[in-house]
Every structure is written in structure tokens, then in C-alpha cells.
Amino acid sequence: MQTYEFPRFAFETPPELAGKAAPRRRVAIVGAGPIGLAAAIDLAGHGIESVVLDDDDTVSVGSRAICWAKRTLEILDRLGVADRMMQKGVTWQTGKVHFGDRALYQFDLADAGRQRFPAFINLQQYYAEEYLVERAGEEPAIDLRWRNKVVDLDAQSDGVTLTVETPEGAYTLDADWVIAADGARSQVRRLVGLDFMGRVFEDRFLIADVIMRADFPKERWFWFDPPFNPDQSALLHMQADNVWRIDLQLGWDADPDEERKPENVVPRIKRMLGDDIAFDLEWTSVYTFQCRRLEKFRHGRILFAGDAAHQVSPFGARGANSGLQDVDNLIWKLALVLDGKAPDALLDTYDAERVYAADENILNSTRSTDFITPKNAASRAFRDATLELATDWPFARDLVNSGRLSRPATYTESPLNSADAFGNVAPGTPCPDLAVRMARAGETARDGWLLELLGDRFAVLCFGVQAAASAGLGDLPADAIPIALLCVTAGESGRTDTIIDAGGHLARVFGAEPGSCYLFRPDQHLCAAWPSADVSAIRSARDQAVCQSRQGAEPTTAAAD
Amino acid sequence: MSDLLRKDLGFADGDAVYEALINAISGLDDQQAMKVMAKLILLLGNQIGDPAVIEAAITVARSETDG
């Protein structure tokens, strides 16, 4: 490729093949793509060692996932790579929809108010992986092994034995837990013998990444039935390095081997861009897609995440983004189980919550695909009628579906939510990243972001310093499963970490009254809320969120670490 | 355009309604599908009842269709 040089990561003789002691691993992660790497880095943040096995020795060949959503950037910020991605990536928020040779309408994804991260950035997947690999390299807790291919596995009730093939021979590795993040063609899935449930779409699409200096705006442009690709769809999207993603629907009858030849790709792109724009081909691929998932994401000690667990069409950017939300959901639970602070059953809620999220993604992705590629003349008539009405009739614009872009799942029905609810934010909802003025104990106030303060532990937001103190919430950070205490106040208070909400903005967003409390899980989803502070209610809700049925007093001894 | 017709989205979940409409005609040949669509219009039109509203909708549907 012209704009990117692929790193080659060296194979190193694993201790198992060097005659050294090779202890049983707590976690083995199969696949060093964005999901596997994120899982390893997140585990390291919880102080948990992992070994990551990848059959290749470089990053993603091809740009693949390019749209990184706000929630993903928030997660990647916690993992330490969001700044680099923001710097390199292309920030965008506007989409334009065309029908035939007409621009129909445009939409704006920006939320009101000051935002730390935009709705989306575009960045080639290989950059994201490169940054994650470098970040993983800084963590002594991560043992990243290239050209280590899992070829067999033996699942037991308390662990998994993996057989790994390398250029220097094969070895076996025992792990308490395995995270299968080895992509759509997951080897682990094959070895366990699991099938997908869902739909395969009979359609083919051409992806062409082209290098060009064009003055197109940084926007997502989508065409239904454009003159340059009649009866099919098209998408144009900017990436880093003056690389543009072009996605052209070809139809099921297209011959994939013919269509990816440059002599066929170049004329297609010229028809789209016109003769005046010079471009070079960077990467091409002809793909089909599926909207499907495994029935269960947890199989004993094996946990499936990302494309290994579920797949969607590219319309909506719900692939890599949902995989990173899998990680966000899984790792804090796995860390608590590994530390002996939560029962094994907590990991069943990973399955419940992320299957729910996968179904939401699959539903949205399937609907988009059915709109973009009508299956018969009558559904085509509905589609074109909607598009023709869209210019003058706002209701029709809302029905036009060129991809419902990735939003984080809200776990409304989660067993981890408590019945206690109060205010404007329902349990299961991810916390919005609001701009806040904050003061750590003994420090001067500064501007920051709410999610930075929540961090990756349980945290309770209490509106009122005095309310928190008189209810005894100050003891919560010392629990075996600590709950950080964040007090919201109108003025500064030097004694505790506080959020200074002088204008009452935070209180309005949460629908809070003096004394209201909001409990967040380590993945920053709300799990319960109360009109007034009650320390035992907060502890019960925390216990429910880790599948501990125990009620009442907090034991004083922390579990062994 | 007529003031009799609502311009904003009336469905609580537009994507779900659209999906239901497409499902209603999936697997049918063109003639069968057209008949299902005609029945849908008759049923929904009867539910609305007001001939002025139906007339307004007919005007919009015809005027925005090319050819």
C-alpha cells in the first residue's frame, strides 16, 4: 500500500517451547484484532495478566472497520488510545443522502452541548490495531504472541487447554478462561463446533479505498440508485491519509474475482468521480455479509466477543463498535470473578446483555439492508416512494434507512438493574459524557468530563455533599467491591472529590433533587437511582449488579487477591 | 401540499412499521403484492374515513411520482 507500511511483529519463542516453566494462565485471548487487544489492555487495567495468541504477524490487512463511534472512543480513551485515534482520524458528523442524481437531505449527528468526543471519527482499522498493539506493549501484564495459531482445544469445567502451533513447533497452554476474539472466521468457534443463527444476504459489494486529493467535505455521502451505479447503492467516506472509502453495491450475480481486478474497478470509480479527479487504488475487496450471531456468547469457560460472536452488515458501523462494547461489558465482570469477589454467574449476564445488544444491532442492520437492497418489485416501490417523498415530507425522511448508525445498547431489562429508579435516566442507560467542573480533594477546581470521574469501578453520584455525609456514603469506597463517591455541589468543597454544578446542568440532565443518588457500574451504565441517599440501598444495588444475593452489612475482610 | 396531512413522523417506531409493510409483501409475485398493497390502502383509508384527507393524500402521491 502507498499510504501505510505494515508492521511485522517478531515471533518469539514462547516459554513453553524454551523448556521454561509455563504456569497456568488466568486468561488466554485468541485473536489480536481490536477486540482481543482491547480485552487484554482492559484486563491489565484491572491488574489481571493475559496471554494473547494471534496466527498472523501484522495488523488488519485492509481498512475494514473505519467508523469509530462516540461510545467506542470513550472506551478507547480508558484504554489509552483515543487521543492518537482522534489525532489521526477524520472527525465527521454530517451525512448526505442522494437518490438518483438529486441530493435528498442531510442529517447531523452532533449532540447539543460541549462534547469530549464527536459522534464518529473515521480511521482505517490498521491504525487502530497498531495503536492498540503499542499500548499493549507498555503493559507487563500482557504476553502478546504473534504467529501462535490455536489448532485444538479441550474445554473442561474449570478451564481450557489450548494447543498452539508456531513456526518452532506446537505446545499446549492451560488457561482458566478463554476469550475468543478471533473474528468472523473464528477458529475457536469451529473447534467448539458452534453454528450461527441468522441471515446470509445474497448480494455483493465492492470496497475500494482510493487515494485522492479531492475537495469533498468530511461527510458520509450515500446514494440510492445513482447514475454511476444504476439500481444499486453507493457510499463515499473520508479516511486518514487522503484515503477515501468507496462502497459500491454490485448485485448477487457479480463475479467477485472479476470485479476486484483493477481494470474493472478503475472504470467504476471513474464513472462515480468523473474524469477530472486523479486517484490511485489503495485496497479493494468484494464482500458479502451476514446478519447473525451465536446462540450463546458464553460456553463454560470460553467467552466469545466481537465478530467471533456476532456479525452484521457494514451499514450502520455496528461491527467493531459493538465488539468494543462487548469488551466494555465483559472485562469488569471477568475481573471480579477472577478476584473471587463475584460468582461465576456474573458472566452469564455478559451473555444476556450482549446477546440483547447483538440482536438490536442485527435488527437495525437487517432493516437497513432490506431498505438499501429491496428484494422484489413491490418492496422497491415502497423504497422509491419513501425516497421521493423524503424531500418535502419529514416523516418519510425518518423512514429512509441508509444505515442506523451505531449507538450504545441500553440494558433496560438487565438482571443487574435494581428496581430502584429515579429521575430522567433509566437503569441500563450508559452515562452521558457531560462537561463538568470538578475538584479533587485538596486540589483547585478544573474542567473535566463526567466519564473520567466515573472511571472503571462502581461509582455513586450523590447530589449534595451534606446528604452524602449524613447518609454515611463516605464508607463506600472502602468496601470489598469499592464504590467511588462523587458529590455534586453548587459550590466548592475542599474535603472530598466534588463536581461543581453551579448552573444546575447536571441536575437537570439526571432529573436530580437534593440528596438524589445514581449508581453506575464499572462500564458506566446506570444500575439504580434513588430520590435520597441510603447507604444500604446502594450496597444492595451494587450486590445485585455483581450477582451477589447477599443483603445487609458489608463484610470487613476483602476477598483474597 | 395540503394542511390536512401530517408531515412529521406519526409512528412510534417507523423502522418497525416499515419492516412490517415489507414483510406483508415478501415472497409474493408482483400481482399478489399489488393486491395486498391495494387492500392495505383500502383498510387504512376506511379507518381514516375523511374523504378530504384521502383526496389530499391522493394529490400528493400523484404529484410526486415521476411520469
Side-chain angles (χ1 to χ4, degrees):
Chain A
M1 300 217 300
Q2 293 181 36
T3 62
Y4 187 77
E5 195 173 331
F6 284 94
R8 292 285 162 204
F9 304 117
F11 167 78
E12 287 170 30
T13 309
E16 288 84 350
L17 289 172
K20 293 181 199 153
R24 184 181 177 87
R25 304 284 166 164
R26 301 180 88 186
V27 184
I29 298 168
V30 185
I35 311 310
L37 291 165
I41 296 165
D42 213 7
L43 279 171
H46 288 276
I48 291 168
E49 295 183 349
S50 65
V51 56
V52 185
L53 307 167
D54 194 276
D55 60 359
D56 203 1
D57 65 351
T58 189
V59 294
S60 160
V61 174
S63 58
R64 294 164 68 191
I66 60 165
C67 296
W68 307 90
K70 179 198 284 284
R71 180 63 198 153
T72 300
L73 293 167
E74 290 164 2
I75 296 165
L76 290 173
D77 184 55
R78 190 180 76 224
L79 303 182
V81 298
D83 285 347
R84 288 187 79 183
M85 290 189 58
M86 287 292 296
Q87 224 161 39
K88 185 72 186 174
V90 176
T91 295
W92 66 276
Q93 59 189 38
T94 302
K96 284 207 175 89
V97 176
H98 306 77
F99 179 37
D101 54 7
R102 287 181 297 153
L104 279 187
Y105 68 95
Q106 68 176 55
F107 59 85
D108 193 336
L109 298 167
D111 290 327
R114 211 151 61 80
Q115 303 286 322
R116 183 162 54 142
F117 294 112
F120 281 96
I121 66 162
N122 285 0
L123 184 65
Q124 295 90 318
Q125 183 171 330
Y126 38 80
Y127 279 113
E129 290 187 18
E130 181 188 319
Y131 301 160
L132 286 163
V133 169
E134 285 183 24
R135 178 70 190 81
E138 298 166 4
E139 290 287 349
I142 300 174
D143 179 356
L144 181 48
R145 301 182 180 181
W146 303 102
R147 298 177 73 190
N148 276 242
K149 182 182 167 67
V150 172
V151 292
D152 202 2
L153 68 78
D154 177 34
Q156 303 109 27
S157 63
D158 61 348
V160 182
T161 303
L162 298 172
T163 305
V164 186
E165 222 168 62
T166 78
E168 294 177 2
Y171 66 93
T172 60
L173 183 147
D174 292 314
D176 292 339
W177 295 90
V178 166
I179 299 175
D182 51 347
R185 286 185 284 271
S186 169
Q187 171 81 344
V188 174
R189 192 187 67 232
R190 257 202 299 258
L191 291 170
V192 181
L194 300 173
D195 287 326
F196 279 120
M197 325 176 333
R199 274 172 72 185
V200 176
F201 287 82
E202 293 195 339
D203 211 334
R204 292 186 204 282
F205 291 78
L206 168 73
I207 283 184
D209 277 358
V210 305
I211 311 164
M212 62 177 173
R213 296 213 173 266
D215 52 4
F216 300 120
K218 296 173 181 177
E219 296 173 346
R220 178 188 195 261
W221 283 15
F222 193 94
W223 287 264
F224 293 98
D225 192 13
F228 57 82
N229 197 25
D231 290 331
Q232 313 281 14
S233 68
L235 180 70
L236 177 69
H237 231 172
M238 189 183 186
Q239 307 173 55
D241 302 333
N242 293 309
V243 173
W244 295 75
R245 163 71 61 84
I246 292 172
D247 195 316
L248 296 170
Q249 187 190 357
L250 300 174
W252 183 236
D253 296 333
D255 178 340
D257 293 324
E258 283 298 309
E259 292 293 346
R260 68 167 68 91
K261 288 181 181 163
E263 63 261 38
N264 292 319
V265 174
V266 169
R268 278 191 181 278
I269 309 252
K270 282 206 157 132
R271 277 200 293 278
M272 178 174 183
L273 300 175
D275 289 328
D276 298 338
I277 295 176
F279 64 87
D280 284 308
L281 285 183
E282 181 70 325
W283 176 65
T284 58
S285 169
V286 174
Y287 67 92
T288 58
F289 55 76
Q290 297 81 35
C291 290
R292 57 187 190 178
R293 66 165 169 86
L294 295 179
E295 189 187 356
K296 289 186 170 302
F297 295 175
R298 178 183 176 190
H299 288 261
R301 292 298 184 103
I302 305 174
L303 302 151
F304 288 86
D307 279 3
H310 46 74
Q311 291 150 32
V312 289
S313 82
F315 305 107
R318 288 168 180 269
N321 286 308
S322 68
L324 283 158
Q325 287 169 48
D326 290 345
V327 171
D328 195 33
N329 188 288
L330 172 62
I331 297 305
W332 68 270
K333 296 175 179 175
L334 185 55
L336 284 171
V337 171
L338 276 164
D339 286 349
K341 293 178 179 173
D344 187 83
L346 181 57
L347 290 164
D348 290 334
T349 71
Y350 164 70
D351 178 79
E353 291 184 335
R354 294 312 296 169
V355 162
Y356 169 83
D359 283 345
E360 187 174 275
N361 288 319
I362 287 169
L363 178 68
N364 276 290
S365 174
T366 302
R367 285 172 174 171
S368 300
T369 306
D370 282 338
F371 192 92
I372 291 165
T373 63
K375 303 295 177 288
N376 58 26
S379 54
R380 169 80 187 248
F382 267 110
R383 205 274 311 264
D384 289 354
T386 307
L387 290 169
E388 285 183 17
L389 288 170
T391 313
D392 292 330
W393 295 82
F395 88 88
R397 220 168 292 163
D398 289 333
L399 295 176
V400 172
N401 191 339
S402 71
R404 298 281 182 243
L405 292 161
S406 172
R407 319 240 343 144
T410 295
Y411 308 127
T412 316
E413 304 295 326
S414 171
L416 303 186
N417 296 341
S418 292
D420 302 309
F422 176 75
N424 296 337
V425 182
T429 308
C431 183
D433 197 11
L434 304 169
V436 291
R437 181 119 185 111
M438 60 198 229
R440 293 204 188 276
E443 292 176 15
T444 46
R446 66 177 179 93
D447 290 324
W449 300 96
L450 182 54
L451 295 188
E452 262 183 277
L453 287 174
L454 290 185
D456 60 354
R457 66 255 156 107
F458 279 95
V460 65
L461 198 60
C462 178
F463 286 77
V465 176
Q466 196 48 51
S470 50
L473 304 195
D475 295 339
L476 293 172
D479 283 5
I481 299 175
I483 302 175
L485 173 61
L486 302 167
C487 293
V488 185
T489 163
E492 290 193 34
S493 158
R495 288 198 308 276
T496 49
D497 290 357
T498 50
I499 297 171
I500 302 147
D501 191 31
H505 177 59
L506 215 57
R508 275 194 297 280
V509 169
F510 283 94
E513 290 169 7
S516 300
C517 285
Y518 298 81
L519 179 65
F520 292 93
R521 317 176 344 179
D523 59 4
Q524 303 174 334
H525 285 250
L526 186 73
C527 52
W530 303 267
S532 59
D534 176 343
V535 72
S536 68
I538 292 169
R539 283 188 170 131
S540 295
R542 185 265 327 270
D543 291 346
Q544 173 145 0
V546 299
C547 291
Q548 295 276 23
S549 50
R550 168 172 54 84
Q551 299 277 324
E554 173 66 23
T556 47
T557 45
D561 208 354
Chain B
M1 265 179 286
S2 166
D3 290 339
L4 289 172
L5 297 175
R6 139 171 220 177
K7 300 198 78 172
D8 63 320
L9 191 71
F11 310 120
D13 183 348
D15 284 352
V17 173
Y18 192 90
E19 183 182 25
L21 290 171
I22 298 306
N23 285 344
I25 45 147
S26 82
L28 304 180
D29 67 32
D30 292 353
Q31 230 168 356
Q32 291 168 322
M34 218 144 60
K35 203 153 66 183
V36 170
M37 286 155 87
K39 283 180 187 167
L40 274 170
I41 292 164
L42 291 168
L43 287 162
L44 296 172
N46 183 57
Q47 188 71 28
I48 289 161
D50 186 343
V53 174
I54 292 164
E55 194 57 50
I58 288 170
T59 306
V60 173
R62 276 303 290 240
S63 71
E64 302 211 350
T65 296
D66 306 323

